Amino acid sequence: MSYLEQGTSAFRKANVAFFAAGFNTFAILYCTQPLLAEFTKEFNISPTTASLALSGTTMSLAVSMLFFSSLSEKWGRKNVMFISMLTASLLSILTVFSSSFESLLVLRIIQGVALGGLPSIAMAYLGEEVVPQSLGVAMGLYISGNSLGAVAGRVITAVSSDLFNWHVGLGIISIISLCGSIIFGITLPRSQHFQSSTLNSNKLAAVFMSHLKDPALLCLFGIGFLILASNIAMYNYVGYVLSGPPYHVPKALLAWIYLFFLVGTVSSIWMAKLAQKFGRSKALVISLIITMAGACLTLEPYLWFKIAGLPILTFGFFGSHSIASGWVSQRAVSNKAQASGLYLFFYYMGSSFGGTSVGEVWLWFGWGGVVSAIMVFLLLALLCTTLLMKRVKTTTVHSR
């Protein structure tokens, strides 16, 4: 049984499969974010309620990821990932025909459950099947599929809804996702090194509890929660500001602000190098300060200053996420997959919390209130970083 390595046909097929899978997953997940203002108007609901079209999905995704990783230990990696993707794609087709926000929301929540089957298992498959020398390339292509899918899902629905309506936008995403699922099922090589094991819920609970008892890991989980809460809060409600008076930015132009997410590729690499040179804690503090600076810049009344704050905030966010998520893997001495799963659980729960709770702040206090809430999230993340630094120092001294 050979491993997948660069230069082989099987390795190329696996890369195509995971690029399609990553693109598919995150296009479906974030495709409703640019449509929140449209949902508010069409269904006569508040921005807070409209935000559930994204928050409900990320919440169910966060919960389901904890279980799918365990199910794959019994049922196999490829089987669970393919069923997950195909189900999410079929549900996406059904969302196109939603006649009420309630029906759309129910379908989106179920979609989140289905989507949890890919990110929770993809890294396990790659770790088992790809030779270490080629793993970095495979992971990089998968992550690039994630980021491009997140951008494309937002841009496609925003532009399509402006030219036609939101049903057409979701329809295009549905067709793309179904094609992605079929490509994944056909091209991904079957697992050669997977060994089925019996599900043990008591053992799994004990592993999760051991990670939750580590104060350093708790700080990292908190940072993940808070940084995505701030990012989603910003992008959920900035559309309401830019499309309203005095700016009246057309929806077709507003769609392109989501291209700022592409700076994440640059910031993740740059901050990783900074962490190697100056240490993770200093790089994390710098990333959080950059994120805060971007948020504050959006308070400026001039349109171009407000827009300029978005890539700065996004740059800092992705830098913070790359450092915190990598630190989790380094901190967990054993059961690293479960530790990473818990980080992603808190990360996506932060999306749900920030995306919906800040909606009430927007209604009562306007954009100044939204930015204030984001600053509170980021200041708490800085506090978690400070506590983390103290905990790491204490652990180092005790280990000596």
Side-chain angles (χ1 to χ4, degrees), residues 85-387:
M85 285 182 60
L86 186 60
T87 303
S89 298
L90 295 174
L91 287 167
S92 185
I93 293 171
L94 292 179
T95 62
V96 177
F97 304 100
S98 299
S99 57
S100 67
F101 184 74
E102 290 77 13
S103 62
L104 175 66
L105 181 58
V106 169
L107 288 169
R108 289 285 295 170
I109 290 172
I110 301 172
Q111 261 190 321
V113 175
L115 286 172
L118 185 84
S120 60
I121 302 167
M123 292 186 182
Y125 174 97
L126 291 171
E128 290 168 350
E129 304 298 327
V130 179
V131 294
Q133 298 90 329
S134 303
L135 186 58
V137 174
M139 290 288 284
L141 284 168
Y142 168 60
I143 292 170
S144 67
N146 292 352
S147 58
L148 287 174
V151 172
R154 291 170 164 114
V155 171
I156 288 170
T157 52
V159 173
S160 300
S161 67
D162 186 54
L163 295 175
F164 305 102
N165 55 56
W166 65 266
H167 297 275
V168 174
L170 293 185
I172 294 172
I173 293 297
S174 301
I175 293 169
I176 293 172
S177 67
L178 186 59
C179 291
S181 299
I182 294 169
I183 290 170
F184 179 85
I186 293 172
T187 58
L188 184 69
R190 287 202 166 273
S191 300
Q192 298 294 320
H193 305 277
F194 167 75
Q195 293 183 343
S196 179
S197 59
T198 305
L199 291 174
N200 189 327
S201 56
N202 291 333
K203 183 180 178 181
L204 183 64
V207 169
F208 284 145
M209 285 305 300
S210 67
H211 289 320
L212 292 172
K213 288 178 181 178
D214 183 346
L217 282 176
L218 277 178
C219 288
L220 289 167
F221 298 157
I223 291 167
F225 179 96
L226 292 162
I227 58 175
L228 190 56
S230 64
N231 181 272
I232 295 298
M234 172 64 72
Y235 279 96
N236 267 13
Y237 301 104
V238 73
Y240 288 94
V241 176
L242 297 179
S243 62
Y247 309 110
H248 299 291
V249 177
K251 284 191 293 182
L253 291 178
L254 196 58
W256 299 105
I257 66 171
Y258 297 106
L259 289 178
F260 292 145
F261 279 86
L262 295 177
V263 305
T265 305
V266 178
S267 67
S268 297
I269 297 170
W270 191 72
M271 283 299 173
K273 291 180 179 178
L274 205 67
Q276 286 180 336
K277 188 174 182 179
F278 298 107
R280 286 191 182 93
S281 55
K282 289 182 180 178
L284 185 53
V285 169
I286 291 170
S287 294
L288 290 170
I289 290 173
I290 291 172
T291 311
M292 294 168 73
C296 289
L297 193 56
T298 65
L299 288 171
E300 284 290 326
Y302 298 106
L303 177 62
W304 292 111
F305 279 100
K306 201 173 286 290
I307 291 176
L310 297 176
I312 296 171
L313 175 136
T314 307
F315 186 96
F317 159 72
F318 276 105
S320 304
H321 174 47
S322 64
I323 294 167
S325 58
W327 205 338
V328 168
S329 232
Q330 184 270 337
R331 176 69 187 184
V333 179
S334 59
N335 300 302
K336 294 180 183 289
Q338 284 76 14
S340 296
L342 278 172
Y343 174 83
L344 290 173
F345 169 78
F346 282 98
Y347 180 73
Y348 285 113
M349 289 299 288
S351 169
S352 300
F353 176 78
T356 298
S357 64
V358 176
E360 289 300 306
V361 178
W362 160 248
L363 284 175
W364 287 96
F365 303 104
W367 187 245
V370 170
V371 175
S372 297
I374 289 170
M375 293 299 289
V376 169
F377 293 153
L378 295 172
L379 286 170
L380 287 173
L382 275 174
L383 176 61
C384 288
T385 305
T386 303
L387 295 174

